[in-house]
Amino acid sequence: MLLTSGDSTSATTSATENQDLQTQRSTGDTSNELLPARRQAWEPVSERLASNEELVYKTVLDADSVLLQSEIVDRTDISKATVSRTLDSLETRDLIERKRRGMGNVVRLT
């Protein structure tokens, strides 16, 4: 049986991305020791960020330092294009990194 609906493909991709994200969290990719240190270092970092950069960075920080790019769009109500440009800027400053997962990206603080 051939599925022609785009919804089933995106649902499968989304499920796979969420599973990958949960696997990373459960295997210790986000260390419990790093989170308090990142939160403590938040103020000096936030002082040198623009408003969108600060909002995106804090959103990822609040999500235990790992979050799907699509979830950043949902949580911040910033457009996809603006989130992408903001992540480019944060990545240039070595504050985050993006890794491709299926059709989306996983964003992680560095």
Side-chain angles (χ1 to χ4, degrees), residues 10-54:
S10 63
T12 303
T13 301
S14 179
T16 302
E17 289 173 352
N18 286 333
Q19 186 177 25
D20 287 346
L21 188 58
Q22 291 301 324
T23 300
Q24 286 178 349
R25 287 180 178 161
S26 66
T27 58
D29 278 356
T30 58
S31 173
N32 290 334
E33 297 163 3
L34 289 176
L35 290 176
R38 285 190 177 129
R39 286 196 170 97
Q40 190 173 41
W42 164 242
E43 282 189 41
V45 170
S46 70
E47 290 174 3
R48 57 181 214 219
L49 299 178
S51 62
N52 282 344
E53 293 171 336
E54 184 176 348

Side-chain angles (χ1 to χ4, degrees), residues 11 15 26 38 42 45 54 57 76 83 94 99 108-110:
S26 66
R38 285 190 177 129
W42 164 242
V45 170
E54 184 176 348
Y57 187 89
T76 61
V83 167
D94 291 328
K99 295 207 178 204
R108 175 188 312 215
L109 297 182
T110 55

Side-chain angles (χ1 to χ4, degrees), residues 47-66:
E47 290 174 3
R48 57 181 214 219
L49 299 178
S51 62
N52 282 344
E53 293 171 336
E54 184 176 348
L55 181 59
V56 169
Y57 187 89
K58 183 152 178 35
T59 301
V60 177
L61 181 65
D62 290 344
D64 294 335
S65 301
V66 179

